[in-house]
């Protein structure tokens, strides 16, 4: 029997909230009988849904943080926002995880400021599954930390390795540093220092990776600073959209191409489904005290379902405690060398 888990969900997160969030939560409750949801948002949204669903509780929030607001400032000013209320539920122990498809920056700020960092973790990092058509790979960090020190990337590598093992089933994930060349001496001073520290401290470090290695899935975990990771991720997402758009245009040009499209439609649908971000639900923020999953703003009801489901899986996997244990051991080892 699965461990009973409570997830706090931001009802107002996402481009199509709250309707798509409610639909996704309904699917999640139906799929997992050991899941409880605390739905956070305006009373007229969350209370009727909670009244109609046995394992859902309403947590009324009188404020909403918009996508265009300054993240940290909004979290500090809007203490009764749906995002802040959900994070407080985790801090208070009423929920074990938090899920939102709202403002990524606000979710990062709220999780860090309210839920708090795991002791020994310098900077929480945002990890995301890159849906390569070959097999999924993990990238960390993809936007939480634009400026990094080498030791931050060592922690990103370890946290992402634990996530890859516990949630993606990679027993001994091969970690690579995203760089501009495969040689040890390539890249900026930061990249070279990171390479040396990763080589010394991460047993499963496999060396440098180039951009072309990501979609080719030549490694399991790609580590980088948040600036590089975010640019890489957005480039992959944008390129995929344009390629599918171009293919669709070509295949509707004439009767001959339309007939060809009909023949190939099943294969293209399978390919498109394999790289659909909704399939993975969202990106975990690793290094905070509790499961925190941040979904795509354009998430469908399936994306919300998978986001809530992966939040519950993170709790049940023991990921948070394993990261905390590693950070504690690492801190003790550092102190013993001083």
């Amino acid at each position: 029997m699965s461990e009973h888990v409570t997830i706090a969900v931001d009802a107002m997160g996402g481009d199509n909230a709250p309707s798509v969030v409610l639909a996704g939560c309904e699917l999640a409750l139906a799929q997992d009988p050991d899941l409880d949801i605390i739905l956070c948002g305006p009373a007229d949204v969350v209370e009727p849904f909670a009244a109609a669903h046995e394992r859902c509780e309403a947590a009324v929030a009188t404020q909403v943080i918009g996508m265009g607001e300054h993240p940290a400032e909004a979290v500090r000013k809007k203490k009764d926002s749906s995002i802040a209320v959900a994070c407080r539920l985790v801090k208070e122990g009423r929920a074990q995880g938090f899920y939102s498809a709202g403002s990524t920056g606000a979710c990062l700020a709220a999780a860090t400021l309210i839920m708090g960092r795991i002791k020994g973790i310098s900077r929480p990092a945002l990890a995301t599954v890159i849906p390569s058509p070959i097999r999924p790979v993990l990238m960390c960090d993809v936007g939480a930390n634009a400026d990094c020190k080498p030791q931050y990337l060592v922690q990103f590598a370890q946290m992402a390795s634990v996530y890859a093992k516990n949630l993606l089933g990679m027993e001994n994930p091969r970690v690579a540093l995203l760089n501009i060349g495969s040689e040890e001496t390539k890249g900026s001073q930061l990249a070279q220092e990171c390479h040396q520290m990763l080589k010394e401290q991460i047993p499963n470090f496999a060396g440098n990776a180039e951009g072309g290695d990501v979609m080719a899935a030549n490694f399991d975990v790609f580590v980088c600073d948040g600036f590089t990771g975010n640019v890489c991720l957005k480039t992959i997402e944008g390129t995929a959209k344009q390629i599918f758009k171009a293919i669709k245009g070509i295949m509707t040009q004439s009767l001959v191409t339309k007939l060809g499209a009909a023949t190939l439609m099943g294969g293209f649908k399978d390919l498109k489904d394999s790289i659909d971000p909704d399939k993975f639900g969202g990106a975990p923020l690793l290094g905070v005290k509790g499961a925190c999953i941040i979904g795509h703003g354009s998430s469908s009801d399936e994306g919300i379902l998978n986001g809530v489901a992966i939040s519950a899986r993170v709790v049940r996997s023991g990921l948070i405690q394993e990261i905390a244990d590693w950070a504690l051991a690492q801190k003790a080892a550092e102190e013993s060398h001083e």
Side-chain angles (χ1 to χ4, degrees), residues 280-305:
F280 299 97
L285 180 65
L286 305 176
V288 291
K289 296 176 181 177
C292 175
I293 306 295
I294 304 171
H296 230 286
S298 60
S299 292
S300 65
D301 55 356
E302 182 187 8
I304 302 295
L305 158 66

Side-chain angles (χ1 to χ4, degrees), residues 175-249:
V175 175
L177 174 66
L178 192 58
N179 206 336
I180 59 171
S182 59
E183 298 88 353
E184 290 190 21
T185 54
K186 286 284 188 176
S188 63
Q189 183 177 345
L190 171 65
Q192 291 179 46
E193 290 177 11
C194 286
H195 187 285
Q196 186 60 35
M197 289 186 70
L198 288 164
K199 186 178 177 181
E200 292 171 354
Q201 299 183 41
I202 302 298
N204 48 328
F205 180 59
N208 285 334
E210 298 181 84
D213 291 314
V214 178
M215 293 305 285
N218 290 332
F219 300 92
D220 300 311
V221 174
F222 293 85
V223 179
C224 52
D225 62 86
F227 182 92
T228 302
N230 193 267
V231 171
C232 183
L233 177 63
K234 296 292 174 59
T235 300
I236 290 170
E237 291 177 342
T239 301
K241 285 180 183 177
Q242 291 305 315
I243 287 174
F244 277 110
K245 185 177 179 181
I247 290 172
K248 185 178 180 180

Side-chain angles (χ1 to χ4, degrees), residues 161-174:
S161 295
V162 175
Y163 186 88
K165 184 182 80 171
N166 288 17
L167 277 298
L168 302 179
M170 300 175 183
E171 190 54 41
N172 188 34
R174 298 176 70 236

